[in-house]
Amino acid sequence: MHDTEIPPLWLKSAPAATGRAGFALPAVLRLRARRGALAIVLAGEGADAPLPFTFATATGAARGAAEGETLLPGVPTVALVPAGATRIEVAGAPPGFRLGYYPVHKVALKLHAFANGRFDGLGLPRRWKAAGVAARTLRGALHALVSAAPARRRAEAARYRAFRARFVGDFAEVPAPNAAPRLSLLTDGGSASAADLSACATALAAQTDRNFEWVVALPPDAPPALAQAAAGARVVAAEGGSAARLAAALDAAEGGLVLFLDAAAQPTRDAVALIRDAFAGHPDCALVYADEERLDAAGAPLHGVYHPAFNRHLMESSGYVRRFAALPRADALRLGLDPAAGAAAVFDLLLRHVSALPEAHIRHVPRVAVGLKGHPPGFAPEEIDAAAAALSRLRGVGVDIIGRHLRPLYPTPAPGPLVSIVVPTRDRAALLSVALRSLIARTAYRAFEIIIVDNGSVEPATFALFEEIKALWPATEVVRDDGDFNFPRICNLGVDAARGDMILLLNNDVEVIEPGWLDEMVALASLPGAGIVGAKLLFPDRTVQHAGVIAGLFRYADHWFAHSAADAPGYEDRLRVRQNLSAVTAACLLIRRDVWDAIGPLDAVRFAEDCNDIDLCLRARRAGYDVVWTPFATLLHYESASRGKKRSREHRARLKAQRARMEAIWHTSTLVDPHYSSNLDRKSLFAAQAEAPEGPRGPRTSGV
């Protein structure tokens, strides 16, 4: 990840233990580390083998580095600076070895780039601009590197402990007995340990809301110690497997609400109150789920697991709501637990339940309500086959298993709808040629036409390319527009000329790299309720350019996980699966023509350059249409290559005015995206733990 234009800030040498090279930590890093573990990016020069390192205090005591942590030749290393550390000591450093770090603060990195970057032959004004562009690119890569590092996860664990002490178990309301039905917590104890059941019993005994019962189903031959461990529970005996035991618990339940509770779960003290309060405040509610925390093997909290508001595609992909979700007992009895679903019986029941519900009747409580051991994102090995079978039965399609996640294989309609691919452009024939030739040569889905909207091209090579593309793909039309650059107006002209049932907005700096991308997008756009589908876009260096837009990030909106590795999992594996989002980029955006006619066009008056795609997506969401992002349509995006990255003062002023209009319409400065969380930092591209909740904490729907 070394940027050839910007070197690290080299650290000064400092005294160290015998056999070690010492490097002094700058005062700014020591001060920042006092507020908690600080992640920094280190880079060494002059070694051709891994070098162990550690942090040391003024008294010489080694601290902070994980066991086996090393500096690798030519590879930046993310490390935590512990409070009190004054230097870094590197073992086995050869003569002449240098150690440096990269500042990650925007201003600091730009100043460093300007002062020390390699921009030969440039005068001061051009050097300043070049430093800004290089620093912006490097900063994104640095933040992505830090976000994926084990050191960051250790820092996040410390951050979560501080968050937990203030904001977990702090719900003060206890619903009146008649405000909401009684909650029945149903547990299969057949494969549980006595220790786990005992810990669960202890957590339930501490509940602030006592209007609940705990029903534990055990095999008839279960050891007496299991029943004794489930103190306070009503124990029922049940033959058969897990699904049969849970069905027996459901039959025995007496509450009006039921929640399937893992035997090793540890509900927080206000878990019951949170669930009943949501039903009390929203009588039309048919499903309520809450956030979780992961526990280590000893039951100590590791970090929070913060869910989005209801996300239908994410539910299909990973079953994310099944760990702590409550529904009316009458609905659970009507649907029943299917023994054929085996270990995925709860997922199967909830999947059938939500498939018939309007999203407005499903609410998410953005508060931690339960601790769970293990349970990484997705399905456990013992349940994933059954979960795939349940999803296949419900949807009537095949289902691929990809790691811990599912991908229902939705087909494209037959015959395939015509897709009108609208490509705005101005000259840059070499760039446009890559986009159009790759589109024609590498796209398996062939029912498409190309609408090139030419915004004032003048170069002969551009017009020659138009003729070549028409010969190569006769279903091509060129629409001329001689106005000033106005992206939405240009796109709207292309849509006006389109004949297709679906419209694909495609930038002229996008390259097709795999054949199935358009089949995937058309299949998803053809589903009931669908409106807009977005793709996964990669920078030319194969890092993430677009994995969906989170509204409200940085008080506006942004592409989360930008500059992450192409295979980065993202928060809770969300970059690996299809999911509903609030917005996607118009660099590659598919919209059904009937949806465009209902909510469109792009707003060419208020959002001539920026925000127009986000505004379109939010209007689609407000009208009740889904916006879906998929990682199974991946393309390259040479972002801003056609217009460049430099911005004049006038350009920046226009963008500022457009963002002000975005705020006036969508209140992005305070908006917490329904598919994000108020418990995550709204100034982080990488879903960092917030220091304190940054938005409402009440039950929410997926509506914008």
Side-chain angles (χ1 to χ4, degrees):
M1 188 220 62
H2 276 297
D3 192 294
T4 57
E5 297 175 319
I6 307 176
L9 270 170
W10 300 114
L11 300 174
K12 294 180 180 179
S13 61
T18 303
R20 292 175 176 264
F23 300 91
L25 286 169
V28 64
L29 295 184
R30 298 199 302 268
L31 288 172
R32 288 176 60 198
R34 289 181 181 177
R35 299 182 304 195
L38 169 69
I40 63 170
V41 180
L42 298 173
E45 182 179 274
D48 55 8
L51 300 176
F53 70 93
T54 188
F55 290 93
T57 66
T59 59
R63 300 179 54 185
E67 183 178 354
E69 195 159 22
T70 58
L71 295 164
L72 299 176
V75 179
T77 298
V78 180
L80 291 184
V81 181
T86 59
R87 66 184 182 276
I88 302 173
E89 296 187 353
V90 182
F97 175 78
R98 293 199 296 175
L99 182 66
Y101 79 100
Y102 285 100
V104 295
H105 187 274
K106 178 169 60 176
V107 175
L109 186 59
K110 184 174 181 179
L111 289 172
H112 167 60
F114 177 72
N116 302 296
R118 304 181 184 102
F119 306 105
D120 297 335
L122 298 182
L124 291 180
R126 292 180 61 197
R127 182 183 180 88
W128 179 250
K129 289 183 178 179
V133 172
R136 186 163 58 245
T137 300
L138 178 58
R139 186 167 179 261
L142 291 171
H143 279 282
L145 183 68
V146 171
S147 77
R152 188 253 186 159
R153 290 193 287 275
R154 297 199 301 273
E156 287 283 286
R159 195 178 180 101
Y160 177 65
R161 288 192 293 272
F163 178 92
R164 189 184 193 279
R166 299 170 60 197
F167 302 111
V168 175
D170 65 330
F171 187 66
E173 302 294 328
V174 176
N178 60 352
R182 189 183 188 200
L183 178 64
S184 294
L185 302 161
L186 313 179
T187 297
D188 166 27
S191 58
S193 70
D196 282 343
L197 281 175
S198 178
C200 187
T202 299
L204 290 174
Q207 291 298 302
T208 56
D209 186 346
R210 306 303 304 169
N211 200 353
F212 74 94
E213 63 170 349
W214 186 28
V215 183
V216 177
L218 295 173
D221 58 351
L226 285 182
Q228 294 168 5
R234 183 150 52 89
V235 176
V236 298
E239 301 279 0
S242 175
R245 289 193 290 271
L246 285 174
L250 175 60
D251 288 339
E254 297 176 353
L257 304 171
V258 295
L259 186 151
F260 299 97
L261 184 67
D262 190 285
Q266 295 184 29
T268 61
R269 62 191 293 270
D270 48 16
V272 173
L274 291 173
I275 295 297
R276 292 189 63 250
D277 175 75
F279 280 99
H282 306 281
D284 63 342
C285 198
L287 184 77
V288 170
Y289 63 98
D291 290 341
E292 305 155 12
E293 62 182 1
R294 287 205 177 90
L295 310 177
D296 65 16
L302 291 173
H303 56 83
V305 178
Y306 304 124
H307 295 310
F310 185 64
N311 193 310
R312 200 173 296 275
H313 280 279
L314 187 61
M315 173 65 173
E316 292 185 355
S317 300
S318 65
Y320 77 102
V321 307
R322 72 194 188 284
R323 297 299 184 190
F324 202 80
L327 68 159
R329 177 171 175 264
D331 289 341
L333 287 170
R334 173 178 51 80
L335 293 164
L337 285 151
D338 185 356
V346 172
F347 170 69
D348 172 67
L349 185 152
L350 293 175
L351 191 64
R352 287 181 284 127
H353 184 46
V354 301
S355 69
L357 291 179
E359 291 189 8
H361 293 183
I362 303 172
R363 292 195 176 259
H364 164 238
V365 181
R367 291 172 176 265
V368 172
V370 66
L372 298 168
K373 293 182 180 178
H375 295 311
F379 298 92
E382 63 271 16
E383 65 176 337
I384 194 164
D385 288 333
L391 182 56
S392 181
R393 285 193 300 271
L394 181 68
R395 295 291 180 234
V397 299
V399 175
D400 273 354
I401 295 174
I402 303 174
R404 300 179 60 90
H405 306 287
L406 305 178
R407 179 191 179 187
L409 302 175
Y410 293 118
T412 56
L418 179 66
V419 179
S420 297
I421 302 178
V422 176
V423 185
T425 194
R426 175 183 290 179
D427 287 320
R428 302 297 297 274
L431 189 72
L432 179 63
S433 176
V434 171
L436 296 181
R437 292 182 187 279
S438 68
L439 169 65
I440 295 168
R442 298 176 187 156
T443 301
Y445 188 92
R446 306 306 279 177
F448 66 84
E449 65 174 358
I450 302 172
I451 310 294
I452 302 170
V453 189
D454 176 25
N455 178 224
S457 293
V458 296
E459 298 172 358
T462 303
F463 301 115
L465 176 64
F466 291 164
E467 296 307 312
E468 291 174 18
I469 295 300
K470 288 179 182 179
L472 191 61
W473 194 261
T476 298
E477 180 178 354
V478 178
V479 177
R480 180 72 178 186
D481 172 69
D482 287 316
D484 293 336
F485 179 80
N486 180 308
F487 180 80
R489 186 197 70 238
I490 297 167
C491 290
N492 292 342
L493 284 172
V495 175
D496 290 343
R499 299 180 296 113
D501 294 323
M502 294 191 179
I503 308 296
L504 180 79
L505 303 181
L506 187 71
N507 273 21
N508 66 344
D509 56 355
V510 169
E511 179 182 355
V512 174
I513 57 175
E514 50 92 10
W517 69 281
L518 191 51
D519 292 272
E520 167 76 358
M521 296 180 78
V522 169
L524 293 176
S526 302
L527 294 174
I532 292 174
V533 179
K536 181 177 183 177
L537 303 180
L538 304 178
F539 287 114
D541 67 358
R542 291 329 200 249
T543 60
V544 171
Q545 189 271 333
H546 172 261
V549 174
I550 301 297
L553 275 190
F554 299 97
R555 300 174 62 85
Y556 166 57
D558 217 327
H559 298 191
W560 71 340
F561 287 93
H563 296 282
S564 296
D567 60 353
Y571 185 71
E572 292 295 302
D573 280 1
R574 284 180 58 179
L575 269 59
R576 291 176 169 166
V577 297
R578 294 171 180 152
Q579 61 196 276
N580 297 80
L581 286 175
S582 293
V584 294
T585 179
C588 183
L589 180 154
L590 184 67
I591 181 170
R592 292 207 320 269
R593 182 63 190 243
D594 62 307
V595 177
W596 177 276
D597 291 341
I599 68 163
L602 291 169
D603 192 331
V605 176
R606 287 177 288 195
F607 305 120
E609 293 173 85
D610 200 19
C611 315
N612 44 74
D613 47 2
I614 300 169
D615 172 71
L616 181 75
C617 290
L618 293 177
R619 282 188 277 135
R621 290 294 302 120
R622 186 173 60 188
Y625 297 104
D626 285 345
V627 175
V628 182
W629 176 83
T630 174
F632 306 116
T634 300
L635 304 93
L636 287 188
H637 185 197
Y638 300 84
E639 184 186 29
S640 301
S642 59
R643 303 191 66 236
K645 293 183 178 181
K646 295 181 180 179
R647 294 176 175 178
S648 66
R649 182 178 302 174
E650 294 77 12
H651 186 193
R652 291 195 297 269
R654 291 197 303 271
L655 293 180
K656 184 177 180 180
Q658 289 173 70
R659 294 192 177 197
R661 290 192 282 272
M662 191 74 176
E663 166 65 18
I665 297 170
W666 296 108
H667 311 293
T668 50
S669 66
T670 55
L671 173 66
V672 175
D673 191 310
H675 299 300
Y676 198 61
S677 173
S678 57
N679 298 316
L680 296 173
D681 188 348
R682 293 173 65 243
K683 292 184 179 179
S684 168
L685 288 181
F686 306 101
Q689 169 72 60
E691 291 186 3
E694 298 184 357
R697 305 179 72 194
R700 61 178 183 159
T701 70
S702 60
V704 175

